Amino acid sequence: APVYDSIVSGPLDGCRRKSLSRLDNVANQKILINGIGSGLDIPHLPADAQYTGTDITPAMLELAKKRARQSPLDINFELADSQALHFHDDTFDAIIMHLILAVVPDPASALREAVRVLKPGGRIYLLDKFLKPGQIAIFRRLLNVFVRHVATRTDVVFEEVLITCPELENIHDEAALAKGWFRLIELKKT
């Protein structure tokens, strides 16, 4: 938590803004920020929605709460595991998952949980780093052996995760940073 912002802000700020600019007409919507981390998304969120920010790390939630004090947004914070959310089915109108699928041990489980708590017709907004299907990426796969236990995974193939959620439609997918390693993805629950 103490060094998180210095590692993931900067170049990713523009990607966050671009991803969150796709949220429109959010008045009175319930939006889950699944894996809110230190709250780097907060300054870029549109007003008039009811936000719930979750994270598994209490120290990260404390940083997010501090950042939220400087914001007029309505945000509730809860300790939660993205792979086993405690919310009822069909609770949220939209879900933001920035830099979370490549962090959790089981990305497919985290995405399935997001789908479960998302209302039909709702959308999931992803920003993360993913390998392309069939991409060898020897360095990234070797790096994963060392960094997956302390920071993030570098071997996640999004299409392999998405196939576990047949009720999701990929409606937007674009390269965001690092020659397409980071991607902005928008999914819709049918």
Side-chain angles (χ1 to χ4, degrees):
V3 296
Y4 181 80
D5 287 5
S6 62
I7 294 170
V8 301
S9 63
L12 290 175
D13 290 346
C15 297
R16 287 178 191 280
R17 274 191 302 276
K18 189 169 186 178
S19 175
L20 296 172
S21 72
R22 298 180 69 82
L23 283 169
D24 61 352
N25 205 14
V26 298
N28 302 314
Q29 286 194 358
K30 292 177 75 175
I31 299 176
L32 174 63
I33 310 165
N34 192 357
I36 194 168
S38 66
L40 290 172
D41 289 329
I42 292 171
H44 312 294
L45 294 169
D48 300 328
Q50 201 178 20
Y51 294 98
T52 300
T54 62
D55 207 278
I56 197 167
T57 308
M60 293 296 249
L61 280 177
E62 288 306 313
L63 291 173
K65 287 176 186 177
K66 253 189 215 180
R67 186 165 270 122
R69 286 186 205 115
Q70 302 165 8
S71 167
L73 300 175
D74 176 15
I75 306 176
N76 179 46
F77 295 93
E78 296 188 30
L79 192 63
D81 180 349
S82 293
Q83 301 166 111
L85 295 169
H86 58 271
F87 304 108
H88 295 291
D89 295 359
D90 306 328
T91 299
F92 296 97
D93 298 290
I95 299 177
I96 299 162
M97 298 179 79
H98 286 173
L99 306 177
I100 190 67
L101 285 183
V103 172
V104 297
D106 184 357
S109 176
L111 189 58
R112 284 192 303 271
E113 275 295 278
V115 171
R116 182 183 65 75
V117 302
L118 183 66
K119 293 177 182 177
R123 299 189 182 212
I124 298 175
Y125 300 88
L126 299 173
L127 163 61
D128 222 321
K129 61 200 155 315
F130 300 112
L131 295 178
K132 295 177 179 100
Q135 186 177 14
I136 297 171
I138 294 169
F139 175 74
R140 292 179 195 167
R141 292 181 190 275
L142 285 174
L143 181 64
N144 185 64
V145 173
F146 300 103
V147 298
R148 71 177 179 212
H149 298 294
V150 285
T152 188
R153 293 182 55 184
T154 58
D155 67 339
V156 177
V157 177
F158 175 69
E159 288 74 10
E160 293 173 5
V161 175
L162 182 60
I163 203 163
T164 68
C165 300
E167 59 273 78
L168 284 178
E169 175 187 357
N170 189 343
I171 59 173
H172 183 84
D173 188 341
E174 73 175 274
L177 198 65
K179 297 183 180 176
W181 188 17
F182 285 84
R183 289 160 60 187
L184 293 172
I185 299 170
E186 184 178 347
L187 308 168
K188 183 178 180 181
K189 182 177 177 180
T190 56

Coordinates of all heavy atoms in Angstrom, one line a residue, residues 6-95:
S6 N 2.9 5.3 -6.4 CA 4.1 5.7 -7.2 C 4.3 4.7 -8.3 O 5.0 5.0 -9.3 CB 5.3 5.8 -6.3 OG 5.6 4.6 -5.7
I7 N 3.8 3.5 -8.2 CA 4.1 2.4 -9.2 C 3.0 2.5 -10.3 O 3.4 2.3 -11.5 CB 4.1 1.0 -8.5 CG1 5.3 0.9 -7.6 CG2 4.2 -0.1 -9.6 CD1 5.3 -0.3 -6.7
V8 N 1.8 2.6 -10.0 CA 0.7 2.5 -11.0 C 0.1 3.8 -11.4 O -0.7 3.8 -12.4 CB -0.4 1.5 -10.5 CG1 0.1 0.2 -10.2 CG2 -1.2 2.1 -9.3
S9 N 0.4 4.9 -10.8 CA -0.2 6.2 -11.4 C 0.7 6.7 -12.5 O 1.6 5.9 -13.0 CB -0.4 7.2 -10.3 OG 0.9 7.5 -9.7
G10 N 0.6 7.9 -12.9 CA 1.4 8.4 -14.0 C 0.9 8.0 -15.3 O -0.2 8.4 -15.7
P11 N 1.6 7.1 -16.0 CA 1.1 6.7 -17.4 C -0.3 6.1 -17.4 O -1.0 6.2 -18.4 CB 2.2 5.6 -17.8 CG 3.3 5.8 -16.9 CD 2.8 6.5 -15.6
L12 N -0.7 5.4 -16.3 CA -2.0 4.8 -16.3 C -3.1 5.7 -16.0 O -4.3 5.4 -16.2 CB -2.0 3.6 -15.3 CG -1.2 2.4 -15.6 CD1 -1.2 1.4 -14.5 CD2 -1.7 1.8 -16.9
D13 N -2.8 7.0 -15.6 CA -3.9 7.9 -15.3 C -4.7 8.2 -16.5 O -6.0 8.3 -16.4 CB -3.3 9.2 -14.7 CG -2.7 9.0 -13.3 OD1 -3.0 8.0 -12.7 OD2 -2.0 9.9 -12.9
G14 N -4.1 8.4 -17.6 CA -4.8 8.7 -18.9 C -5.7 7.5 -19.3 O -6.8 7.7 -19.7
C15 N -5.2 6.3 -19.0 CA -6.0 5.1 -19.3 C -7.2 5.0 -18.4 O -8.3 4.6 -18.8 CB -5.2 3.8 -19.1 SG -3.8 3.7 -20.3
R16 N -7.1 5.3 -17.1 CA -8.2 5.4 -16.2 C -9.2 6.4 -16.7 O -10.4 6.0 -16.7 CB -7.7 5.8 -14.8 CG -6.9 4.8 -14.1 CD -6.5 5.3 -12.7 NE -5.5 4.4 -12.1 CZ -5.8 3.3 -11.4 NH1 -7.1 3.0 -11.3 NH2 -4.9 2.5 -10.9
R17 N -8.8 7.6 -17.0 CA -9.7 8.6 -17.4 C -10.5 8.1 -18.7 O -11.7 8.3 -18.7 CB -9.0 9.9 -17.8 CG -8.8 10.8 -16.6 CD -8.3 12.2 -17.1 NE -7.0 12.1 -17.8 CZ -5.8 12.1 -17.3 NH1 -5.7 12.1 -16.0 NH2 -4.8 12.1 -18.0
K18 N -9.8 7.5 -19.6 CA -10.5 7.1 -20.8 C -11.5 6.0 -20.5 O -12.6 6.0 -21.1 CB -9.4 6.6 -21.8 CG -10.0 6.3 -23.2 CD -8.9 6.1 -24.2 CE -9.5 5.9 -25.6 NZ -8.4 5.8 -26.6
S19 N -11.1 5.0 -19.7 CA -12.0 3.9 -19.3 C -13.3 4.5 -18.7 O -14.4 4.1 -19.0 CB -11.3 2.9 -18.4 OG -12.2 1.9 -18.0
L20 N -13.1 5.4 -17.7 CA -14.2 5.9 -16.9 C -15.0 6.9 -17.7 O -16.2 7.1 -17.4 CB -13.7 6.5 -15.6 CG -13.0 5.4 -14.7 CD1 -12.4 6.1 -13.5 CD2 -14.0 4.4 -14.2
S21 N -14.5 7.4 -18.8 CA -15.3 8.4 -19.6 C -16.4 7.6 -20.3 O -17.3 8.2 -20.8 CB -14.4 9.1 -20.6 OG -14.0 8.2 -21.6
R22 N -16.3 6.3 -20.4 CA -17.3 5.5 -21.0 C -18.6 5.3 -20.1 O -19.6 4.9 -20.6 CB -16.8 4.1 -21.4 CG -15.6 4.3 -22.4 CD -15.0 2.9 -22.8 NE -16.0 2.2 -23.6 CZ -16.1 2.3 -24.9 NH1 -15.4 3.2 -25.6 NH2 -17.0 1.5 -25.6
L23 N -18.4 5.6 -18.8 CA -19.6 5.6 -17.9 C -20.4 6.8 -18.3 O -20.0 8.0 -18.1 CB -19.1 5.7 -16.5 CG -18.5 4.5 -15.8 CD1 -17.9 4.9 -14.5 CD2 -19.6 3.5 -15.6
D24 N -21.6 6.6 -18.7 CA -22.5 7.8 -19.0 C -23.8 7.5 -18.4 O -24.2 6.4 -18.1 CB -22.5 8.1 -20.5 CG -23.1 6.9 -21.3 OD1 -23.3 5.8 -20.7 OD2 -23.4 7.1 -22.5
N25 N -24.5 8.6 -18.1 CA -25.9 8.5 -17.6 C -25.9 7.6 -16.3 O -26.7 6.7 -16.3 CB -26.8 8.0 -18.7 CG -28.2 8.4 -18.4 OD1 -28.5 9.3 -17.6 ND2 -29.2 7.8 -19.1
V26 N -25.1 8.0 -15.4 CA -25.0 7.2 -14.2 C -25.9 7.6 -13.0 O -25.8 7.1 -11.9 CB -23.5 7.1 -13.7 CG1 -22.6 6.5 -14.7 CG2 -23.0 8.5 -13.2
A27 N -26.7 8.6 -13.2 CA -27.6 9.1 -12.2 C -28.4 8.0 -11.5 O -29.0 7.2 -12.2 CB -28.5 10.2 -12.7
N28 N -28.2 7.9 -10.2 CA -28.9 6.9 -9.4 C -28.5 5.5 -9.6 O -29.2 4.6 -9.2 CB -30.5 7.1 -9.5 CG -30.9 8.5 -9.2 OD1 -30.5 9.0 -8.1 ND2 -31.7 9.1 -10.0
Q29 N -27.4 5.3 -10.3 CA -27.0 3.9 -10.6 C -26.1 3.4 -9.4 O -25.4 4.3 -8.7 CB -26.2 3.8 -11.9 CG -27.0 3.8 -13.1 CD -26.2 3.4 -14.3 OE1 -25.1 3.1 -14.3 NE2 -26.9 3.4 -15.4
K30 N -26.1 2.1 -9.2 CA -25.2 1.5 -8.2 C -24.0 1.0 -8.9 O -24.2 0.1 -9.8 CB -26.0 0.4 -7.4 CG -27.1 1.0 -6.5 CD -27.8 -0.2 -5.8 CE -27.0 -0.7 -4.7 NZ -27.7 -1.7 -3.9
I31 N -22.8 1.5 -8.6 CA -21.6 1.1 -9.3 C -20.6 0.5 -8.3 O -20.3 1.1 -7.3 CB -21.0 2.3 -10.0 CG1 -22.0 2.8 -11.1 CG2 -19.7 1.9 -10.7 CD1 -21.6 4.0 -11.8
L32 N -20.1 -0.7 -8.6 CA -19.1 -1.3 -7.8 C -17.7 -1.0 -8.4 O -17.5 -1.2 -9.6 CB -19.3 -2.8 -7.8 CG -18.3 -3.7 -7.1 CD1 -18.2 -3.4 -5.6 CD2 -18.6 -5.2 -7.3
I33 N -16.8 -0.5 -7.5 CA -15.4 -0.4 -7.9 C -14.7 -1.6 -7.2 O -14.4 -1.5 -6.1 CB -14.8 0.9 -7.4 CG1 -15.7 2.1 -7.9 CG2 -13.4 1.1 -8.0 CD1 -15.4 3.4 -7.2
N34 N -14.6 -2.6 -8.0 CA -14.1 -3.9 -7.5 C -12.6 -4.0 -7.5 O -12.0 -4.1 -8.5 CB -14.7 -5.0 -8.4 CG -14.6 -6.4 -7.8 OD1 -14.0 -6.6 -6.8 ND2 -15.1 -7.4 -8.6
G35 N -12.0 -3.9 -6.3 CA -10.6 -3.7 -6.2 C -10.2 -2.3 -6.3 O -9.4 -1.9 -7.2
I36 N -10.8 -1.4 -5.5 CA -10.6 0.0 -5.5 C -9.1 0.4 -5.3 O -8.7 1.5 -5.6 CB -11.5 0.8 -4.6 CG1 -11.6 2.2 -5.0 CG2 -11.2 0.5 -3.2 CD1 -12.7 3.0 -4.4
G37 N -8.4 -0.5 -4.6 CA -7.0 -0.1 -4.3 C -6.9 1.1 -3.4 O -7.7 1.3 -2.5
S38 N -6.0 2.0 -3.8 CA -5.8 3.3 -3.1 C -6.8 4.4 -3.5 O -6.7 5.5 -3.1 CB -4.4 3.8 -3.2 OG -4.1 4.1 -4.6
G39 N -7.7 4.1 -4.5 CA -8.7 5.0 -4.9 C -8.3 5.9 -6.1 O -8.8 7.0 -6.3
L40 N -7.3 5.5 -6.9 CA -6.8 6.3 -8.0 C -7.9 6.6 -9.0 O -7.8 7.5 -9.8 CB -5.6 5.6 -8.7 CG -4.3 5.6 -7.8 CD1 -3.3 4.7 -8.5 CD2 -3.8 7.0 -7.6
D41 N -9.0 5.8 -9.0 CA -10.1 6.0 -10.0 C -11.0 7.2 -9.5 O -11.7 7.8 -10.3 CB -11.0 4.8 -10.1 CG -10.3 3.7 -10.9 OD1 -9.5 4.0 -11.8 OD2 -10.6 2.5 -10.6
I42 N -11.0 7.4 -8.2 CA -12.0 8.4 -7.6 C -12.0 9.7 -8.3 O -13.1 10.2 -8.6 CB -11.8 8.5 -6.1 CG1 -12.1 7.2 -5.4 CG2 -12.6 9.6 -5.5 CD1 -11.8 7.1 -3.9
P43 N -10.9 10.4 -8.6 CA -11.0 11.7 -9.2 C -11.6 11.7 -10.6 O -12.0 12.8 -11.1 CB -9.5 12.2 -9.3 CG -8.8 11.3 -8.3 CD -9.5 10.0 -8.2
H44 N -11.7 10.6 -11.2 CA -12.2 10.5 -12.6 C -13.6 9.9 -12.7 O -14.1 9.8 -13.8 CB -11.2 9.6 -13.4 CG -9.8 9.9 -13.2 ND1 -9.2 11.1 -13.7 CD2 -8.8 9.2 -12.6 CE1 -8.0 11.1 -13.3 NE2 -7.7 10.0 -12.7
L45 N -14.2 9.7 -11.6 CA -15.6 9.1 -11.6 C -16.6 10.2 -11.8 O -16.5 11.3 -11.2 CB -15.9 8.4 -10.3 CG -15.0 7.1 -10.0 CD1 -15.2 6.6 -8.6 CD2 -15.4 6.0 -11.0
P46 N -17.7 9.9 -12.6 CA -18.8 10.9 -12.7 C -19.6 11.0 -11.5 O -19.7 10.0 -10.7 CB -19.6 10.3 -13.9 CG -19.2 8.9 -14.0 CD -17.9 8.7 -13.4
A47 N -20.2 12.1 -11.2 CA -21.0 12.3 -10.0 C -22.4 11.7 -10.3 O -22.7 11.2 -11.3 CB -21.2 13.8 -9.8
D48 N -23.2 11.7 -9.2 CA -24.6 11.3 -9.2 C -24.9 9.8 -9.2 O -26.0 9.3 -9.2 CB -25.4 11.8 -10.5 CG -25.4 13.4 -10.5 OD1 -25.4 13.9 -9.4 OD2 -25.4 13.9 -11.6
A49 N -23.8 9.0 -9.0 CA -24.0 7.5 -8.8 C -23.7 7.2 -7.4 O -23.2 8.0 -6.6 CB -23.1 6.8 -9.7
Q50 N -24.2 6.0 -7.0 CA -23.9 5.5 -5.7 C -22.8 4.4 -5.8 O -23.0 3.4 -6.4 CB -25.2 4.8 -5.2 CG -25.3 4.7 -3.7 CD -26.7 4.1 -3.4 OE1 -27.4 3.5 -4.2 NE2 -27.1 4.3 -2.1
Y51 N -21.6 4.7 -5.3 CA -20.5 3.9 -5.5 C -20.2 3.0 -4.2 O -20.4 3.4 -3.1 CB -19.2 4.7 -5.7 CG -19.3 5.4 -7.0 CD1 -19.6 6.8 -7.1 CD2 -18.9 4.8 -8.2 CE1 -19.7 7.5 -8.3 CE2 -19.0 5.5 -9.4 CZ -19.3 6.8 -9.5 OH -19.4 7.5 -10.7
T52 N -19.8 1.8 -4.5 CA -19.2 0.9 -3.5 C -17.8 0.5 -3.9 O -17.7 -0.1 -5.0 CB -20.1 -0.4 -3.3 OG1 -21.4 0.0 -2.9 CG2 -19.5 -1.3 -2.2
G53 N -16.9 0.8 -3.1 CA -15.5 0.5 -3.3 C -15.0 -0.7 -2.4 O -15.2 -0.6 -1.2
T54 N -14.5 -1.7 -3.1 CA -14.1 -2.9 -2.3 C -12.6 -3.2 -2.5 O -12.1 -2.9 -3.6 CB -14.9 -4.2 -2.7 OG1 -14.6 -4.5 -4.0 CG2 -16.4 -4.0 -2.4
D55 N -12.0 -3.7 -1.5 CA -10.6 -4.2 -1.6 C -10.4 -5.2 -0.5 O -11.0 -5.2 0.5 CB -9.6 -3.1 -1.5 CG -8.3 -3.4 -2.3 OD1 -7.5 -4.1 -1.7 OD2 -8.2 -2.9 -3.4
I56 N -9.4 -6.1 -0.8 CA -9.1 -7.2 0.2 C -8.1 -6.7 1.2 O -7.9 -7.3 2.3 CB -8.7 -8.5 -0.5 CG1 -8.7 -9.6 0.4 CG2 -7.3 -8.3 -1.1 CD1 -8.6 -11.0 -0.2
T57 N -7.4 -5.5 0.9 CA -6.4 -5.0 1.8 C -6.8 -3.8 2.6 O -7.1 -2.8 2.0 CB -5.2 -4.6 0.9 OG1 -4.8 -5.7 0.1 CG2 -4.0 -4.3 1.8
P58 N -6.9 -3.9 3.9 CA -7.4 -2.8 4.7 C -6.5 -1.5 4.5 O -7.1 -0.4 4.5 CB -7.2 -3.3 6.2 CG -7.4 -4.8 6.0 CD -6.7 -5.2 4.7
A59 N -5.3 -1.7 4.4 CA -4.4 -0.5 4.2 C -4.8 0.2 2.9 O -4.7 1.5 2.8 CB -2.9 -0.9 4.2
M60 N -5.1 -0.5 1.8 CA -5.5 0.1 0.6 C -6.8 0.9 0.7 O -7.0 2.0 0.2 CB -5.6 -0.9 -0.5 CG -4.3 -1.5 -0.9 SD -3.2 -0.2 -1.6 CE -3.1 -0.8 -3.3
L61 N -7.8 0.2 1.5 CA -9.1 0.9 1.7 C -8.9 2.2 2.5 O -9.6 3.2 2.2 CB -10.0 0.0 2.5 CG -10.7 -1.1 1.7 CD1 -11.6 -2.0 2.6 CD2 -11.6 -0.5 0.6
E62 N -7.9 2.2 3.4 CA -7.7 3.5 4.2 C -7.2 4.6 3.3 O -7.6 5.7 3.4 CB -6.7 3.2 5.3 CG -7.3 2.4 6.5 CD -8.6 3.1 7.0 OE1 -8.6 4.3 7.2 OE2 -9.6 2.3 7.2
L63 N -6.3 4.2 2.3 CA -5.8 5.2 1.4 C -7.0 5.7 0.5 O -7.0 6.9 0.2 CB -4.7 4.6 0.5 CG -3.4 4.3 1.2 CD1 -2.4 3.6 0.3 CD2 -2.7 5.6 1.7
A64 N -7.8 4.8 0.0 CA -9.0 5.2 -0.8 C -9.9 6.1 0.0 O -10.4 7.1 -0.6 CB -9.7 3.9 -1.3
K65 N -10.1 5.8 1.2 CA -11.0 6.6 2.1 C -10.5 8.1 2.2 O -11.2 9.0 2.1 CB -11.2 6.0 3.5 CG -12.1 4.8 3.5 CD -12.1 4.2 4.9 CE -12.9 2.9 4.9 NZ -12.9 2.3 6.2
K66 N -9.1 8.1 2.3 CA -8.5 9.5 2.4 C -8.7 10.2 1.1 O -9.0 11.4 1.1 CB -7.0 9.3 2.6 CG -6.5 9.6 4.0 CD -5.0 9.6 4.0 CE -4.5 9.1 5.3 NZ -3.0 9.0 5.4
R67 N -8.5 9.6 0.0 CA -8.7 10.2 -1.3 C -10.1 10.6 -1.5 O -10.4 11.7 -2.0 CB -8.2 9.2 -2.4 CG -8.3 9.9 -3.8 CD -7.5 9.1 -4.8 NE -6.1 9.5 -4.8 CZ -5.1 8.7 -4.6 NH1 -5.2 7.4 -4.4 NH2 -3.8 9.2 -4.6
A68 N -11.1 9.8 -1.0 CA -12.5 10.1 -1.2 C -12.9 11.4 -0.4 O -13.9 12.0 -0.7 CB -13.3 8.9 -0.8
R69 N -12.2 11.6 0.7 CA -12.6 12.8 1.5 C -12.4 14.1 0.7 O -13.0 15.1 1.1 CB -11.7 12.9 2.8 CG -12.1 11.9 3.8 CD -11.3 12.0 5.1 NE -11.3 10.8 5.8 CZ -10.2 10.0 6.1 NH1 -9.0 10.5 5.8 NH2 -10.3 8.9 6.7
Q70 N -11.6 14.1 -0.3 CA -11.4 15.2 -1.2 C -12.4 15.3 -2.4 O -12.2 16.0 -3.3 CB -10.0 15.3 -1.7 CG -8.9 15.3 -0.6 CD -7.5 14.9 -1.0 OE1 -7.3 14.8 -2.2 NE2 -6.6 14.8 -0.1
S71 N -13.3 14.4 -2.3 CA -14.3 14.2 -3.5 C -15.7 14.4 -3.0 O -16.0 14.0 -1.9 CB -14.1 12.8 -4.1 OG -15.1 12.5 -4.9
P72 N -16.6 14.9 -3.8 CA -18.0 15.0 -3.4 C -18.8 13.8 -3.7 O -20.0 13.7 -3.5 CB -18.5 16.2 -4.4 CG -17.6 16.0 -5.6 CD -16.3 15.5 -5.1
L73 N -18.2 12.7 -4.1 CA -18.9 11.5 -4.5 C -19.4 10.7 -3.3 O -18.9 10.8 -2.2 CB -18.0 10.5 -5.3 CG -17.4 11.1 -6.6 CD1 -16.4 10.1 -7.2 CD2 -18.5 11.4 -7.6
D74 N -20.5 10.0 -3.5 CA -21.1 9.1 -2.5 C -20.5 7.7 -2.7 O -20.8 7.0 -3.6 CB -22.6 9.0 -2.8 CG -23.3 8.1 -1.8 OD1 -22.7 7.7 -0.8 OD2 -24.5 7.7 -2.1
I75 N -19.5 7.4 -1.8 CA -18.8 6.2 -1.9 C -18.8 5.4 -0.5 O -18.5 6.0 0.5 CB -17.3 6.3 -2.3 CG1 -17.2 7.2 -3.6 CG2 -16.6 5.0 -2.4 CD1 -15.7 7.5 -4.0
N76 N -19.2 4.2 -0.6 CA -19.2 3.3 0.6 C -18.0 2.4 0.4 O -17.8 1.9 -0.7 CB -20.5 2.5 0.7 CG -20.6 1.6 1.8 OD1 -20.2 1.9 2.9 ND2 -21.0 0.4 1.6
F77 N -17.3 2.1 1.4 CA -16.1 1.2 1.4 C -16.3 0.0 2.1 O -16.8 0.0 3.3 CB -14.9 2.0 1.9 CG -14.5 3.2 1.1 CD1 -14.9 4.4 1.4 CD2 -13.7 3.0 -0.1 CE1 -14.6 5.5 0.6 CE2 -13.3 4.1 -0.8 CZ -13.8 5.4 -0.5
E78 N -15.9 -1.2 1.5 CA -16.1 -2.4 2.2 C -14.9 -3.3 1.9 O -14.4 -3.4 0.8 CB -17.4 -3.1 1.7 CG -18.6 -2.4 2.0 CD -19.9 -3.1 1.7 OE1 -19.9 -4.4 1.8 OE2 -20.9 -2.5 1.4
L79 N -14.5 -4.1 3.0 CA -13.5 -5.1 2.8 C -14.1 -6.3 2.1 O -15.1 -6.8 2.6 CB -13.0 -5.5 4.2 CG -11.7 -6.3 4.3 CD1 -10.5 -5.5 3.7 CD2 -11.4 -6.7 5.7
A80 N -13.5 -6.7 1.0 CA -14.1 -7.8 0.3 C -13.1 -8.5 -0.6 O -12.1 -7.8 -1.1 CB -15.3 -7.3 -0.6
D81 N -13.3 -9.7 -0.9 CA -12.4 -10.5 -1.8 C -13.2 -10.6 -3.2 O -14.3 -11.0 -3.3 CB -12.3 -11.9 -1.2 CG -11.4 -12.8 -2.1 OD1 -11.1 -12.5 -3.3 OD2 -11.1 -13.9 -1.6
S82 N -12.5 -10.1 -4.2 CA -13.1 -10.1 -5.5 C -13.5 -11.5 -6.0 O -14.3 -11.6 -6.9 CB -12.1 -9.4 -6.5 OG -11.9 -8.1 -6.2
Q83 N -12.9 -12.5 -5.5 CA -13.2 -13.8 -5.9 C -14.4 -14.5 -5.2 O -14.8 -15.6 -5.5 CB -12.0 -14.7 -5.7 CG -10.8 -14.2 -6.5 CD -9.5 -14.9 -6.1 OE1 -8.9 -15.6 -6.8 NE2 -9.1 -14.6 -4.9
A84 N -14.9 -13.8 -4.1 CA -16.0 -14.3 -3.3 C -16.7 -13.1 -2.7 O -16.7 -12.8 -1.5 CB -15.5 -15.2 -2.2
L85 N -17.4 -12.3 -3.6 CA -18.1 -11.1 -3.1 C -19.3 -11.5 -2.3 O -20.0 -12.4 -2.5 CB -18.6 -10.3 -4.4 CG -17.4 -9.7 -5.2 CD1 -18.0 -9.2 -6.5 CD2 -16.7 -8.7 -4.4
H86 N -19.6 -10.7 -1.3 CA -20.7 -10.9 -0.3 C -22.0 -10.2 -0.7 O -23.0 -10.2 0.0 CB -20.3 -10.5 1.1 CG -19.9 -9.0 1.2 ND1 -18.6 -8.6 1.0 CD2 -20.6 -7.9 1.4 CE1 -18.6 -7.3 1.1 NE2 -19.8 -6.9 1.4
F87 N -22.1 -9.7 -1.9 CA -23.3 -9.0 -2.4 C -24.3 -10.0 -3.0 O -23.9 -11.0 -3.5 CB -22.9 -7.9 -3.4 CG -21.9 -6.9 -2.9 CD1 -20.6 -6.9 -3.4 CD2 -22.2 -6.0 -2.0 CE1 -19.7 -6.0 -3.0 CE2 -21.3 -5.1 -1.5 CZ -20.0 -5.1 -2.0
H88 N -25.5 -9.6 -3.0 CA -26.6 -10.4 -3.6 C -26.4 -10.4 -5.2 O -25.8 -9.4 -5.7 CB -28.0 -9.8 -3.3 CG -28.3 -9.9 -1.8 ND1 -28.5 -11.2 -1.2 CD2 -28.4 -9.0 -0.9 CE1 -28.8 -11.0 0.1 NE2 -28.7 -9.7 0.3
D89 N -27.0 -11.4 -5.8 CA -27.0 -11.4 -7.3 C -27.7 -10.1 -7.8 O -28.6 -9.6 -7.2 CB -27.8 -12.6 -7.8 CG -27.2 -13.9 -7.4 OD1 -26.1 -13.9 -6.8 OD2 -27.7 -15.0 -7.7
D90 N -27.3 -9.7 -9.0 CA -27.9 -8.6 -9.7 C -28.1 -7.3 -8.9 O -29.1 -6.7 -8.9 CB -29.3 -9.1 -10.2 CG -29.3 -10.3 -11.0 OD1 -28.3 -10.6 -11.7 OD2 -30.3 -11.1 -11.0
T91 N -27.0 -6.9 -8.2 CA -27.0 -5.8 -7.3 C -26.6 -4.5 -8.0 O -27.2 -3.4 -7.8 CB -26.1 -6.0 -6.1 OG1 -26.6 -7.1 -5.4 CG2 -26.0 -4.8 -5.2
F92 N -25.6 -4.6 -8.9 CA -25.0 -3.4 -9.5 C -25.3 -3.1 -10.9 O -25.5 -4.1 -11.7 CB -23.5 -3.4 -9.3 CG -23.0 -3.5 -7.8 CD1 -22.7 -4.7 -7.2 CD2 -22.9 -2.3 -7.1 CE1 -22.4 -4.7 -5.9 CE2 -22.6 -2.3 -5.8 CZ -22.3 -3.5 -5.2
D93 N -25.4 -1.8 -11.3 CA -25.7 -1.4 -12.7 C -24.4 -1.5 -13.5 O -24.4 -1.7 -14.7 CB -26.2 0.0 -12.7 CG -27.6 0.1 -12.0 OD1 -28.6 -0.5 -12.5 OD2 -27.6 0.7 -10.9
A94 N -23.3 -1.3 -12.9 CA -22.0 -1.3 -13.6 C -20.9 -1.7 -12.6 O -21.1 -1.5 -11.3 CB -21.7 0.1 -14.1
I95 N -19.8 -2.2 -13.1 CA -18.7 -2.6 -12.3 C -17.4 -2.1 -12.9 O -17.2 -2.3 -14.1 CB -18.6 -4.1 -12.1 CG1 -19.9 -4.6 -11.4 CG2 -17.4 -4.6 -11.3 CD1 -20.0 -6.1 -11.1

